[in-house]
Amino acid sequence: MKKRYSLENLGCANCAAHMEADINKLADVKSAKVAFMTQKLVIEADPEKIEEVLDAAQRIITSYEKDCIIKR
């Protein structure tokens, strides 16, 4: 299942690239894209695991930019 989410307070393109790389390393993620210009996260994961994946993705995002959040 592929879902799109808005990111709030994403302020660094380099950080977005690091976030994307780390989110793609998560076990239940098939693919992830963090688009700095559009402030979007596109993530493809097992529908049964999406909440766990989003929680893990939020932790990763916060480790790079503490004020950046995934708007669910």
Side-chain angles (χ1 to χ4, degrees):
M1 165 199 279
K2 189 179 277 193
K3 298 280 281 181
R4 288 178 174 76
Y5 301 93
S6 293
L7 294 172
E8 190 172 290
N9 300 318
L10 179 60
C12 171
N14 189 45
C15 295
H18 288 290
M19 292 172 190
E20 180 178 311
D22 288 353
I23 293 169
N24 272 301
K25 292 177 186 174
L26 295 172
D28 294 314
V29 172
K30 294 176 185 167
S31 69
K33 174 78 175 143
V34 177
F36 174 72
M37 293 301 290
T38 59
Q39 306 279 297
K40 300 284 185 204
L41 167 64
V42 179
I43 195 159
E44 185 174 0
D46 181 349
E48 295 175 9
K49 302 277 188 171
I50 193 69
E51 287 303 317
E52 294 170 30
V53 166
L54 287 173
D55 290 342
Q58 182 62 65
R59 285 191 296 277
I60 290 168
I61 288 168
T62 304
S63 75
Y64 289 100
E65 291 199 27
K66 66 179 183 114
D67 294 329
C68 185
I69 59 168
I70 300 170
K71 293 176 76 174
R72 298 185 192 192

